[in-house]
């Protein structure tokens, strides 16, 4: 039986105005088109924004060449806020970003989502930690449902205003 870890990637903020949801009234609805308007990025190759996983082009290429399964890549739009250049750590080149749509099934694939939690196999973890920037990735976090519900209520409030 395959072992999985729950992971929480670096969270980025800045959901762009061109983002399209399948159901605007449901904070957990599917994102049909993602637009990120970045104010900052700490440098991880795997990040999350509003329940949508995003990877750098470097990680995308590595995953495409690997034997790992449970994901596919989609185009996203990325723009930078005017304060981005002030906040961004210029020691690293700014990459292209891709949406990583999770399609995996537990027990079959290396990546799947269960109750909005990203689950990755031991092989996927080894792959990520081997060559990629994942300094802000939290593995098997303590989960606080009340805090998550509060954060989602704020996101919903911002979407509806």
């Amino acid at each position: 039986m395959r072992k999985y870890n729950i992971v929480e990637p670096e969270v980025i903020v800045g959901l762009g105005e061109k983002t399209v949801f399948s159901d605007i009234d449901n904070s957990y609805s599917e994102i049909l088109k993602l637009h990120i308007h970045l104010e900052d990025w700490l440098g991880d190759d795997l990040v999350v924004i509003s329940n949508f996983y995003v990877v750098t082009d470097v990680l995308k290429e590595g995953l495409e060449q690997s034997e790992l399964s449970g994901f596919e890549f989609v185009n996203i739009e990325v723009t930078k806020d005017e304060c981005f250049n002030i906040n961004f750590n210029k020691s690293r080149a700014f990459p292209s970003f891709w949406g990583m749509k999770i399609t995996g099934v537990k027990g079959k694939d290396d990546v799947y989502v269960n109750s909005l939690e990203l689950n990755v196999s031991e092989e996927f973890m080894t792959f990520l930690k081997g060559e990629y920037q994942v300094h802000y990735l939290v593995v098997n976090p303590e989960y606080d449902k009340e805090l998550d519900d509060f954060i989602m209520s704020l996101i919903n409030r911002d979407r509806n205003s």
Side-chain angles (χ1 to χ4, degrees):
M1 178 152 214
R2 223 176 204 166
K3 285 189 170 187
Y4 292 93
N5 291 292
I6 296 171
V7 296
E8 289 183 356
E10 173 189 339
V11 176
I12 56 174
V13 295
L15 199 56
E17 62 187 25
K18 297 176 189 173
T19 298
V20 177
F21 292 89
S22 63
D23 179 358
I24 193 66
D25 296 325
N26 180 353
S27 61
Y28 295 105
S29 70
E30 181 182 2
I31 294 177
L32 302 175
K33 178 184 179 216
L34 180 63
H35 169 216
I36 300 171
H37 188 69
L38 286 175
E39 292 180 14
D40 196 3
W41 168 59
L42 298 176
D44 274 9
D45 288 309
L46 172 63
V47 297
V48 65
I49 182 168
S50 189
N51 302 319
F52 196 92
Y53 300 96
V54 176
V55 298
T56 61
D57 51 347
V58 172
L59 179 54
K60 175 187 178 277
E61 290 170 14
L63 286 168
E64 287 176 330
Q65 294 173 11
S66 77
E67 299 287 324
L68 299 170
S69 64
F71 50 85
E72 59 187 45
F73 299 103
V74 296
N75 287 319
I76 61 173
E77 182 175 349
V78 179
T79 53
K80 297 179 206 171
D81 190 78
E82 56 190 48
C83 66
F84 181 83
N85 288 329
I86 296 167
N87 295 331
F88 180 60
N89 177 356
K90 293 178 177 67
S91 66
R92 182 170 183 194
F94 187 76
S96 295
F97 289 96
W98 293 85
M100 185 170 85
K101 186 174 181 180
I102 308 302
T103 59
V105 176
K106 181 179 181 179
K108 177 184 174 206
D109 294 300
D110 292 288
V111 183
Y112 73 96
V113 173
N114 183 28
S115 300
L116 300 177
E117 295 175 326
L118 183 62
N119 293 261
V120 300
S121 68
E122 294 289 330
E123 295 83 4
F124 194 94
M125 282 300 301
T126 301
F127 176 84
L128 268 182
K129 290 183 173 185
E131 298 182 37
Y132 301 97
Q133 299 285 330
V134 287
H135 300 297
Y136 301 97
L137 182 77
V138 178
V139 180
N140 296 320
E142 294 287 325
Y143 183 66
D144 186 338
K145 181 168 178 7
E146 288 181 27
L147 178 59
D148 188 54
D149 289 344
F150 173 72
I151 291 169
M152 292 313 295
S153 72
L154 293 176
I155 291 170
N156 282 335
R157 184 194 69 202
D158 290 344
R159 268 193 214 154
N160 295 327
S161 50

